[in-house]
Structure formats: structure tokens, C-alpha cells
């Protein structure tokens, strides 16, 4: 799964991937007379791109997808880039045409190395001449991921930024600049991690579903618009592969193995919230061959850590499955994780998605909160909520999901719980007390899930407990 094939890719100048059409305004640095980006050393642009190994020859898949992995080169022109601190020691790519993609991220060789600096990209919308403005890519992604010492934290894991959703694009430009103005013990000023590459992810086409929707399929809880996928719709066209059957069978008590969504259900016992509708991995089009085989479980789910995906807010709810497939491919093929990192995902319209495989009702071990992946679950709200307020539908969905899942494990959403650190912010073995519904920043020194989403967690706990009948 984690192997890469060396393939050459024809690259020409001009392109930087495009954000959605609403962001097509040219950047200031593109105006006549404006300062330009430093150029990259020509010789450093020659190394071939690598691409994630495709499925075995003859294997069927409804979700193709691909990853272009382009090595970054030193930026050698002494001129300053607009809005930057200077280009000395910087790496990047000048504008170039590439195959279509929708999500970007930057990776490097050593997962233990930290990228102290800034990562910015701009892109060109497919089929147009419009380039986006420069966009920041969230670099503090090492607080997500596998706990130290686990099988998932193997030598195959790479350092990585958060992924950024940019929409259908066919051109890209990137710059990575080291931070030279901070005292960073143990690091060399101006030094970037080795092996920097930009990953350009194509999520592949949407999965095929039965065309006839069930009556009232689009009306969801709390009036939030729901997925266009029919309630209980079943993916058709062929028998499931072995990997698909394995991923679906762990939910067999809740829904047929070929269903695209686990239906909502009323609470069966006191203090367990009603089960919300959950779109399955098959529903959002996960290619099960990308992940590691088998599932890893913990003993229980004692806490829920809420995250934002930091992929930006420029997606529609119809695009959410594509965003998920892109993140999934980035986590497994680019970052080297065994599967999608989060146990669940929630989009801006309040749709809930099965994340990491292993069963939505089971205590699946994830890779979401470094140091505290054991006996917890991770919920990623798709978007970036540092300064943008999360939609009410998404916040309500987190309350509905936690009321059910924490209830299955006897946890009061308004209560407190104790977890044992596996290392990271807290020393390994240290017992740490959290709110049962906590923010990622509670377990690690990070801004995730963004100040605006973090500020909603108090009302989320209250709503979740109320749904449990407390």
C-alpha cells in the first residue's frame, strides 16, 4: 500500500491549482510591476514525480483516484516573494501544468522532523486561466496521527502538513519558507526537513448508486440538508471485493453490507442517544485496498476528541464525499497511515460519515489525537474554524453522534474522564483528565479544532447529554 512507483511526468511552466471559482481573482503578485516569486533552480526540477501504486492489474474499482508527488526544489532567486519573510533557504515549485487534482499537502521523509516555517500554494481551476491567491497550508499536523510506539507509527510514516481542499484544478505553484525569527532549541535556523514533496490528490469519481431516491430522503434531523444519497440506498453493479466485505461486515448488525448509509434508529436503552444516520465508507466511496488489512480496537470509548480537518471551507456538501476520499488517500498514500485517521467525519450540512474502518459501534483505534488515541474516538468537522463559525448543522451533528456513541459505552457527555498518555504533550504513562467531549487542543498543543468550533463544545456537551435523556 505504501509503495510508490517512479513515473515521469511532463511538466511545463504556468499553473497553480485553482480554488473554487469564487476565488478566481488574480493575486496581487500577478499584477504588472508587482514583485515575483523567486525562481527554482532548473536542475532541481528534473527528478521524476512518484505516484501511489495502483491496484493490482485486473482488480475492479469504482473509485480510481491518483496521487501526483512532486519534489520541491530550492528557490534561488534573491528577490522577496510578496508577503513573505524572504526566500533564502526556501523551497518550492514554479507554476506548472499537472494532471487534474483537488487536494494538496506537503510531506517530508522523517516524521520526527518538524517544519518550522510557512507553506503556501496557489492553484489554477481546471480548464481556465484563473489562478487563486496564495493560500496557507496548516503545517502543525504532527499533533494528529499515531501514538508513539504503535505499529502505525512505523518507518513508513512521513511528516506531513494538513491537507487543503482546492477544488478541481490542473495547475499548481508552491513555496515553503523556513522560519528565521524564532528561537527554536534543537533546530537549525532556516533549515527545512529533507525530502519535501507536494502531494496532489485526485479523489476519483463518485460511487454509483441506485438512481431512485427514497421518499423524503433529503430531509434530515434538525432540518439540516442531508446527503443526496438516498436513505438506505444500496450501491449496485457488482459483488463486493474481499476488502469491501470485511469493512462492511463489521456493521452488519446495523445495516446490510451493500448499503450506502446506516439508517437512524431510536434509542434502545436509557442514556443512549438515538443513533443518527451514518453514511458508510462504501457510501462515500472509500477504496478499501488503500488501507491496511485488519482492524485495531481499544477497550472502550471514554472520550470524543473534536477536530477540524483544516482543509478549508470551500467545498459544497455534494463535494464532501470527494473531500473524504482525498483525505483518505492523503492519509494512507502520502502520510503512510494505516487508514483514514478519524473515526468519524461531519460535513457543513450535518451529514455524518463513517471514518476509519472497523465498525461504527465498535471502539476502533484511530490516529487523530497524538498520545490519546487509546479508548477515545476522533470526530473531524470538515472545514477550518479558526476564525469562521462552524455551521449549526455540523455542531448539532457532533451532539447527535456523541450522544449515541458515548452512550453505547456508558459515558455522560457532560462528565469527565481519565485517559493514559502514550506520549506527546504529556509524558507517557501520565493520567490526564478530560471532558468527555474534548477539543483536540486539550490533548495536544495545537489550535485544532479552531477557536470558533472549540467555543461550541460547551453547548455540544449539553445538547448531547439531553439527547441521552440526562
Amino acid at each position: 500500500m505504501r509503495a510508490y512507483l517512479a513515473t515521469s511526468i511532463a511538466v511545463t511552466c504556468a499553473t497553480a491549482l485553482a480554488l473554487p471559482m469564487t476565488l478566481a481573482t488574480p493575486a496581487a503578485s500577478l499584477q504588472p510591476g508587482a514583485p515575483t516569486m523567486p525562481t527554482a533552480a532548473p536542475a532541481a526540477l528534473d527528478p521524476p514525480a512518484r505516484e501511489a501504486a495502483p491496484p493490482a492489474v485486473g482488480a475492479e474499482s469504482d473509485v480510481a483516484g491518483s496521487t501526483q508527488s512532486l519534489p520541491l526544489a530550492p528557490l534561488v532567486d534573491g528577490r522577496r516573494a510578496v508577503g513573505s519573510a524572504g526566500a533564502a533557504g526556501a523551497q518550492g515549485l514554479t507554476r506548472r501544468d499537472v494532471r487534474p487534482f483537488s487536494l494538496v499537502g506537503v510531506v517530508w521523509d522523517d516524521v520526527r522532523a518538524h517544519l518550522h516555517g510557512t507553506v503556501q500554494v496557489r492553484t489554477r481551476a481546471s480548464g481556465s486561466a484563473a489562478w487563486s491567491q496564495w493560500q496557507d497550508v496548516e503545517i502543525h499536523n504532527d499533533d494528529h496521527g499515531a501514538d508513539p510506539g504503535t505499529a502505525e507509527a512505523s518507518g513508513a510514516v512521513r511528516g506531513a502538513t494538513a491537507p487543503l481542499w482546492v477544488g478541481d484544478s490542473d495547475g499548481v505553484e508552491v513555496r515553503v519558507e523556513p522560519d528565521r525569527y524564532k528561537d527554536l532549541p534543537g533546530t537549525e535556523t532556516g533549515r527545512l526537513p529533507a525530502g519535501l514533496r507536494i502531494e496532489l490528490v485526485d479523489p476519483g469519481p463518485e460511487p454509483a448508486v441506485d438512481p431512485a431516491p427514497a421518499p423524503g430522503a433529503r430531509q434530515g434531523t434538525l432540518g439540516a440538508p442531508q446527503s443526496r444519497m438516498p436513505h438506505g440506498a444500496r450501491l449496485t453493479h457488482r459483488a463486493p471485493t474481499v476488502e469491501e466485505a470485511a469493512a462492511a461486515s463489521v456493521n452488519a448488525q446495523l445495516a446490510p453490507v451493500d448499503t450506502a448509509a446506516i439508517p437512524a434508529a431510536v434509542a434502545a436503552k436509557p442514556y443512549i442517544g438515538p443513533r443518527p444516520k451514518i453514511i458508510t465508507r462504501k457510501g462515500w466511496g472509500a477504496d478499501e485496498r488503500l488501507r491496511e488489512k485488519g482492524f485495531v480496537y481499544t477497550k472502550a470509548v471514554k472520550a470524543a476528541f473534536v477536530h477540524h480537518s483544516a482543509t478549508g471551507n470551500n467545498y459544497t456538501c455534494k463535494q464532501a464525499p470527494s473531500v473524504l476520499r482525498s483525505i483518505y488517500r492523503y492519509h494512507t498514500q502520502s502520510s503512510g497511515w494505516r487508514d483514514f485517521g478519524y473515526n468519524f467525519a461531519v460535513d457543513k450540512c450535518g451529514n455524518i460519515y463513517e471514518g476509519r474502518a472497523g465498525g461504527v459501534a465498535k471502539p476502533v483505534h484511530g490516529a487523530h489525537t497524538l498520545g490519546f488515541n487509546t479508548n477515545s474516538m476522533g470526530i473531524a468537522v470538515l472545514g477550518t474554524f479558526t476564525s469562521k463559525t462552524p455551521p449549526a448543522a455540523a455542531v448539532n451533528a457532533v451532539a447527535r453522534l456523541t450522544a449515541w456513541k458515548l452512550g453505547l459505552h456508558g459515558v455522560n457527555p457532560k462528565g469527565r474522564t481519565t485517559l493514559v498518555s502514550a506520549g506527546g504533550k504529556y509524558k507517557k504513562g501520565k493520567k490526564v483528565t478530560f471532558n468527555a467531549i474534548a477539543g483536540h487542543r486539550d490533548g495536544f498543543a495545537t489550535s485544532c479544532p479552531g477557536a470558533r468550533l472549540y467555543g461550541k463544545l460547551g453547548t455540544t456537551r449539553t445538547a448531547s447529554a439531553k439527547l441521552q435523556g440526562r
Side-chain angles (χ1 to χ4, degrees):
M1 179 193 76
R2 292 170 180 157
Y4 285 87
L5 296 180
T7 61
S8 57
I9 177 172
V11 292
T12 61
C13 63
T15 79
L17 126 353
L19 295 179
M21 298 301 289
T22 55
L23 295 180
T25 304
S29 58
L30 299 182
Q31 302 304 315
T36 58
M37 259 302 289
T39 57
L45 296 180
D46 292 337
R50 70 185 178 205
E51 182 152 349
V57 175
E60 296 182 17
S61 177
D62 295 312
V63 183
S66 64
T67 302
Q68 301 170 73
S69 186
L70 307 176
L72 303 190
L75 296 172
V76 298
D77 194 317
R79 291 172 295 178
R80 284 192 172 191
V82 173
S84 77
Q91 295 186 37
L93 289 180
T94 54
R95 292 184 183 185
R96 60 191 56 218
D97 297 322
V98 292
R99 295 192 304 277
F101 67 100
S102 295
L103 179 140
V104 302
V106 170
V107 301
W108 53 93
D109 295 340
D110 187 353
V111 69
R112 298 166 298 180
H114 298 282
L115 197 166
H116 295 290
T118 60
V119 176
Q120 294 181 309
V121 299
R122 56 182 171 192
T123 59
R124 184 187 62 202
S126 292
S128 80
W131 285 77
S132 73
Q133 296 184 6
W134 285 104
Q135 289 195 100
D136 291 324
V137 178
E138 174 59 60
I139 62 172
H140 301 293
N141 196 49
D142 53 348
D143 45 7
H144 299 74
D147 292 334
T150 63
E152 189 157 12
S154 67
V157 181
R158 300 177 185 86
T161 68
L164 178 69
W165 175 261
V166 293
D168 189 13
S169 308
D170 60 9
V172 67
E173 183 175 7
V174 60
R175 62 190 183 196
V176 181
E177 298 188 8
D179 191 340
R180 275 172 287 280
Y181 301 107
K182 292 183 180 180
D183 181 16
L184 303 171
T187 65
E188 184 175 343
T189 299
R191 178 65 61 88
L192 293 172
L196 286 171
R197 306 180 73 90
I198 187 167
E199 306 285 289
L200 308 176
V201 181
D202 170 22
E206 296 295 326
V209 297
D210 289 331
R218 295 186 63 191
Q219 182 61 40
T221 305
L222 301 174
Q226 298 296 299
S227 170
R228 292 178 182 272
M229 185 168 295
H231 177 75
R234 296 185 179 187
L235 300 177
T236 58
H237 54 271
R238 62 170 175 78
T241 65
V242 172
E243 295 88 354
E244 290 168 345
S249 65
V250 288
N251 292 318
Q253 291 184 327
L254 307 179
V257 295
D258 60 346
T259 193
I262 297 169
V266 297
K269 297 180 180 179
Y271 304 126
I272 300 177
R275 186 180 72 219
K277 175 185 173 182
I278 303 172
I279 298 171
T280 63
R281 287 172 62 90
K282 192 164 190 177
W284 56 263
D287 188 333
E288 298 298 345
R289 291 165 299 182
L290 297 181
R291 63 173 174 82
E292 294 282 1
K293 295 181 180 179
F295 312 116
V296 180
Y297 299 98
T298 62
K299 293 182 179 180
V301 176
K302 300 170 64 176
F305 286 102
V306 178
H307 305 251
H308 65 175
S309 63
T311 46
N313 303 306
N314 297 309
Y315 73 94
T316 65
C317 293
K318 185 178 179 180
Q319 292 175 319
S322 293
V323 176
L324 290 173
R325 292 197 303 278
S326 298
I327 296 174
Y328 172 47
R329 180 172 278 274
Y330 185 73
H331 282 178
T332 58
Q333 305 300 288
S334 300
S335 301
W337 298 358
R338 64 175 291 113
D339 194 355
F340 191 86
Y342 309 101
N343 299 100
F344 296 93
V346 171
D347 69 22
K348 62 174 66 176
C349 288
N351 296 302
I352 300 171
Y353 302 85
E354 177 184 17
R356 176 161 291 211
V360 297
K362 299 179 183 295
V364 180
H365 194 284
H368 48 85
T369 305
L370 182 66
F372 296 102
N373 289 306
T374 298
N375 295 334
S376 71
M377 69 173 182
I379 304 169
V381 181
L382 299 182
T384 303
F385 303 107
T386 304
S387 58
K388 183 177 177 60
T389 300
V395 176
N396 289 335
V398 173
R400 290 185 283 118
L401 175 59
T402 53
W404 171 68
K405 186 63 180 283
L406 292 179
L408 293 178
H409 295 268
V411 177
N412 181 347
K414 294 179 66 176
R416 304 271 287 173
T417 191
T418 300
L419 301 176
V420 179
S421 174
K425 177 181 177 181
Y426 297 94
K427 184 178 179 181
K428 183 177 181 179
K430 181 177 177 59
K431 294 182 178 180
V432 184
T433 300
F434 297 98
N435 288 310
I437 299 177
H440 185 187
R441 65 174 60 181
D442 296 323
F444 203 92
T446 174
S447 62
C448 182
R452 295 296 182 90
L453 179 54
Y454 188 77
K456 297 290 185 181
L457 296 187
T459 55
T460 301
R461 296 179 192 109
T462 300
S464 181
K466 185 174 181 180
L467 287 168
Q468 285 189 351
R470 296 182 186 272

